[in-house]
Each structure stands twice: as structure tokens, then as C-alpha cells.
Amino acid sequence: MFFYRYIMNYNQSNILVTVTGPSLTGKTTFARLIEPFGYEEIVSTTTRPPREGEVHGKHYHFVTTDEFNSILQKNLMIEKVQVGNNLYGISKPAFDNVIAKGKNAIAVVEPDGAQQVAKYCQENNINLHQIFLNNTQELILSRFLERFKNDNLAKIDTYTSRLLDIVNKEPKQWIEPAYNGSHYYSQVFDTFTKENQFDVLNEVLKSLDKKINKIKKCKM
């Protein structure tokens, strides 16, 4: 697969990329695909228990609800959302840790979180690029059932709640705003699958390259 040549100067190009979309569209997969091009995913903080194979500090910072609220009270959260009974958020120290390494940052967030990140970036003069990944509901539901089948810690009530969100909430509150423009994204992709994932990555890299070159020119 030919990749668009992506050139960046870490010292001059600080940009945060958010990846948003309905459940199980491959957002984490995309974050891993773009990492070799100078990006590092921000490790989010959550109150949910780890799934089998997840490692604290690598997949998430797993904390108690009291610990999460303490971070909030100290004004150290860039964004936070609640999914069911669990809290998720990106902390300022986690973001700063990526930038301190001389890398650009990427974060997987829900639409509410993406808007919070956009507000934070605007207030702090941080360059931002927001991506929305979508897929057919048939594919999403297929992946959902596969995850449920392979989750040894699966709870029926938790998965039922998530299924209702996938079918009812996400199409109206997440997908429609991405397409009608009421929630702005730099790029919107209709599908993200094994067959086209590198094409999507290539398009994102092209767009980022243009944005970063523009940033560099403004600094000259």
C-alpha cells in the first residue's frame, strides 16, 4: 500500500487529533494505525473495571469514582463523559505527557467529549483536527455481538444498555449531527473497515500534512 509522504517537525508541529464515531467503528484501530507517523494516543481515565487483557496505564488509567471526581475538582480534566454508570475522561497530565515526548497527540472520544476538547483547544491555542468514523449498523451490531460473546466478564444489563444506545441514541445524537453539520468535524468517513482502513489513513495524513504546513508558515 502506497502511503502519502508525511513529513513533520515535532518541535514545530503540535496538533491534537480526536477520533469520534458510533460504537465499534474501529476508532482505537485507527489510533494505532496513525501512531507510526508521529502520534501517540492519550491514555484516557475511566471508572469502569478492566476487561480481560487490559493493562492499567496502557489501555486506560483505571480509577475509582472518588479518584475520578478528585481529578475533576482539581480542574485537571480536558473532557469527561458518562457511559452507563462509568465515567471516562482525558486528563491534562495525560495530554501533556504525550506533548512532552515531542509527539502529536490522538484521542478517542465521544461527540460530547469532542466538543469539550475543541473548547479546550480553542482556549489554549492548541491546533486541532477532528475525525468522525462511521460504519453500517449491520457491521456495528455484528462486532457488538462478537465482543459480547468473547467478554468473559460480560454483564447482561451493561450490554443491554449499550445495545439500546447503539440502536436508538447514537444514530440520532451522534451520526446525524456529524452529517448535517451541527457538530463540525474536519473529516467524516462513511466506512472504516479492513478493506479501506489504509485509504482512510492516507486521506487523514494528507489533510494533516496540509494543516501542519499551514501552521509552520504562520510561525515563520
Side-chain angles (χ1 to χ4, degrees):
M1 167 64 66
F2 170 78
F3 279 105
Y4 181 87
R5 190 182 180 192
Y6 183 67
I7 304 172
M8 61 184 289
N9 185 322
Y10 296 151
N11 295 324
Q12 294 180 356
S13 304
N14 287 327
I15 194 165
L16 170 58
V17 176
T18 61
V19 186
T20 303
S23 301
L24 302 167
T25 48
K27 300 180 290 294
T28 299
T29 297
F30 179 86
R32 290 172 183 162
L33 285 175
I34 202 173
E35 281 188 348
F37 297 89
Y39 288 81
E40 182 172 322
E41 185 175 357
I42 303 171
V43 180
S44 298
T45 301
T46 184
T47 60
R48 79 156 170 78
R51 296 193 183 106
E52 186 176 357
E54 288 184 328
V55 178
H56 176 74
K58 179 180 179 182
H59 299 98
Y60 284 96
H61 295 296
F62 295 101
V63 299
T64 65
T65 300
D66 287 342
E67 290 171 331
F68 193 100
N69 288 330
S70 176
I71 298 171
L72 278 176
Q73 290 169 4
K74 294 175 183 176
N75 195 31
L76 291 176
M77 278 291 182
I78 294 175
E79 61 88 31
K80 73 168 183 71
V81 295
Q82 184 167 347
V83 181
N85 296 322
N86 299 313
L87 296 168
Y88 294 79
I90 294 175
S91 71
K92 294 179 183 178
F95 171 64
D96 292 341
N97 180 58
V98 173
I99 297 301
K101 296 177 183 178
K103 291 188 175 183
N104 289 329
I106 185 164
V108 176
V109 293
E110 293 190 357
D112 287 347
Q115 291 180 320
Q116 294 174 51
V117 170
K119 183 174 182 290
Y120 177 81
C121 288
Q122 184 177 23
E123 292 174 347
N124 293 274
N125 198 30
I126 297 170
N127 301 301
L128 177 66
H129 191 83
Q130 297 193 296
I131 300 164
F132 188 90
L133 300 178
N134 196 14
N135 262 318
T136 64
Q137 193 167 75
E138 289 80 4
L139 180 57
I140 290 171
L141 290 175
S142 174
R143 290 176 176 176
F144 176 83
L145 292 173
E146 190 69 23
R147 175 172 289 185
F148 175 74
K149 183 177 69 174
N150 294 321
D151 187 353
N152 295 329
L153 301 176
K155 294 182 179 180
I156 295 295
D157 57 343
T158 300
Y159 272 83
T160 299
S161 177
R162 285 206 64 193
L163 179 59
L164 289 173
D165 281 346
I166 289 172
V167 174
N168 298 320
K169 173 187 173 182
E170 296 180 9
K172 292 287 185 183
Q173 298 183 25
W174 293 11
I175 299 174
E176 284 188 16
Y179 282 89
N180 65 26
S182 59
H183 185 168
Y184 172 77
Y185 292 94
S186 308
Q187 292 178 284
V188 176
F189 295 94
D190 296 335
T191 60
F192 181 69
T193 64
K194 289 182 179 179
E195 290 73 25
N196 79 335
Q197 62 183 8
F198 293 112
D199 292 330
V200 171
L201 175 62
N202 212 20
E203 287 303 309
V204 172
L205 292 177
K206 286 181 181 179
S207 185
L208 283 169
D209 189 55
K210 291 178 182 178
K211 185 170 287 188
I212 289 171
N213 283 334
K214 185 175 180 180
I215 293 168
K216 290 179 179 179
K217 288 178 181 178
C218 291
K219 290 182 177 181
M220 293 177 63

